[in-house]
Amino acid sequence: MDGHHDLELMLRSRTPIIIIESQDERRMLEMLQSITMRRASTDYMPTFRWTITDGLQRMDISLEPQSINSEPTDVLKHIRAVSKPGLYALLDFHPFLEDPVHVRLLKDICIRYSEIERQIVLISHEVKVPTELEGYCARFDMALPSEQERGQIVAKAAKTYASDNPGRQVQIDDKAHQLLIQNLSGLTYADTERLARNAIYMDGAITKSDLPDVMQAKYELLNSGGALQFEYDTASFRAVGGLANLKTWLSQRRPAFRGDQSAAHLDAPKGILLLGIQGCGKSLAAKATAAIFGVPLLRLDFGTIYDKYHGETERKLRESLNTADVMSPCILWIDEIEKGIAGRGGETGTTQRVLGTFLTWMAERNSQVFVVATANDITTMPPELVRKGRFDEIFFVDLPGEEIRASILAIHLSNRDQPLGNFDIKGLAALMQGFSGAEIEQAVVAGLYAAHAQNTSLQSDHIRSEVEQTRPLSVVMSERIDEMRRWASGRTVPCD
């Protein structure tokens, strides 16, 4: 009702042209009809709709369809010639605003508005107003359905299902029902209605199993730019060896992030920066964070944001961050953030604008978006990003110790259905001094290839042989890794 009220006030404001940018055309026309009928007793205004296919037709009364004035020039000349007040909804008129004849006709209508109230409503997905008309226009932004309205939409979908399937009632899990209403936020009325209907008609119930499909469909509706990726497979923290301090830190903040009543007095966490050596599990930890918080994971790819055209890079970033806000609660994973925000050669101007946009969003956002940024080289990052307050904490992911190497080795063997009792896990872990988690995994993979070539099952000797032939990154780039460790000591929190 607030949307109806705001639109009605705007229509009564005596503005000649009202612009509505919306994909929900049917909803907008229904609102115009409703307002027209409500005003009929005191301030009646004949209402028309126009499309390039059907021409000009009455909306407020039922008449036989008449396809007249289908050409843009003809309909504007007709409106200009009419001597009585009227409301004219022109649908998808935006391509014709580039014609100077149409601009002049619209201006003529606007200039004479004080004599004859002929009000024009332009409804389209996007409307770029010519400079000559800007002073005669006002924009109406339709508010997205509130939580109460989303609940009504879901209830309507459930009622329709029961009507379509006599004798069957929708089975509703109360917690899943509340989460469904919450997760449908940020969508138009039509999209909310469609997703609610799909969730119910799939199995005649509202259960937790419906939520992943709803979130995936919502993401696909919102992410038209393609800079965000929806990560369908998130890792369990049980599949992550080590990182005990990080696991404890996240577990303690989960209630506050999810908005549990028990943590109502706590500030919601903002995010973390994971710094560390390549291959030690930073990306895997980002995926596991989504699992421990129980929310979707979105990955922001800076490589797809940067554009050669001026202003496009910042626009893509703003759209991606807005999508993350609408998808909340969620995890926003930014992998190797230093490559997107640190210097990019000659693109320093664009990089600074991108950094400014990102910092502003981090400071002002109110949505439940938890940022997990990973970096391999924090020394190249701007100080205004890593200062205290931007992220809740900076964690350092170091090379795993012997006990953690053993757990990582066991995880990778188990993932490949290898009986752990057949392997000298402690001995192999001791031999893997200086190996990262990724290098441990590759030793298992290479051992499987060797065993397959010999037509035997995987044994400890296969893995031992691969380990002895491998020079880990900690040896190949020892100077750089030592420097990174020295920098992190005292400045960051160790993950283990």
Side-chain angles (χ1 to χ4, degrees), residues 49-58 64-71:
R49 69 186 291 270
W50 175 89
T51 63
I52 189 65
T53 51
D54 297 329
L56 193 65
Q57 298 176 346
R58 284 292 290 265
E64 288 295 324
Q66 296 177 350
S67 182
I68 60 172
N69 300 313
S70 60
E71 290 300 316

Side-chain angles (χ1 to χ4, degrees), residues 102-166:
H102 299 154
V103 174
R104 183 64 243 185
L105 287 168
L106 283 167
K107 192 171 183 179
D108 289 342
I109 296 168
C110 294
I111 290 172
R112 296 191 59 196
Y113 183 80
S114 59
E115 303 171 22
I116 306 172
E117 294 186 21
R118 293 161 302 190
Q119 198 165 35
I120 293 175
V121 181
L122 300 178
I123 302 176
S124 182
H125 73 288
E126 183 180 27
V127 181
K128 294 182 179 179
V129 181
T131 306
E132 303 94 312
L133 299 176
E134 285 181 352
Y136 302 102
C137 298
R139 290 182 178 268
F140 171 71
D141 295 321
M142 178 60 188
L144 298 171
S146 64
E147 183 173 353
Q148 181 181 357
E149 289 171 323
R150 296 196 300 272
Q152 293 170 352
I153 293 171
V154 173
K156 180 182 175 182
K159 186 176 180 180
T160 303
Y161 175 85
S163 177
D164 292 344
N165 298 271

Side-chain angles (χ1 to χ4, degrees), residues 163-223:
S163 177
D164 292 344
N165 298 271
R168 295 185 61 183
Q169 294 293 324
V170 177
Q171 302 300 310
I172 298 177
D173 177 277
D174 290 339
K175 188 172 182 179
H177 177 254
Q178 189 58 40
L179 286 173
L180 176 62
I181 294 172
Q182 178 182 340
N183 290 343
L184 287 173
S185 63
L187 298 176
T188 64
Y189 190 97
D191 289 337
T192 303
E193 192 173 44
R194 182 163 62 253
L195 264 60
R197 184 181 178 90
N198 290 345
I200 291 171
Y201 275 69
M202 187 71 68
D203 53 8
I206 298 176
T207 61
K208 289 184 179 179
S209 62
D210 296 319
L211 300 179
D213 291 336
V214 168
M215 293 303 289
Q216 179 182 340
K218 178 180 175 180
Y219 160 78
E220 290 170 353
L221 284 170
L222 296 170
N223 190 41

Side-chain angles (χ1 to χ4, degrees), residues 48 50 55-58 68-84 88 90 105 109 116 118 120:
F48 304 82
W50 175 89
L56 193 65
Q57 298 176 346
R58 284 292 290 265
I68 60 172
N69 300 313
S70 60
E71 290 300 316
T73 305
D74 293 339
V75 71
L76 291 180
K77 287 182 177 179
H78 170 78
I79 296 172
R80 186 179 65 170
V82 169
S83 59
K84 295 181 179 180
Y88 299 85
L90 308 184
L105 287 168
I109 296 168
I116 306 172
R118 293 161 302 190
I120 293 175

Side-chain angles (χ1 to χ4, degrees), residues 323-337:
T323 299
D325 285 332
V326 174
M327 287 290 293
S328 67
C330 66
I331 304 298
L332 180 61
W333 168 29
I334 307 175
D335 200 18
E336 297 185 341
I337 189 173

Side-chain angles (χ1 to χ4, degrees), residues 267-281:
D267 292 341
K270 299 176 181 178
I272 56 174
L273 176 61
L274 297 176
L275 168 69
I277 300 166
Q278 294 92 328
C280 288

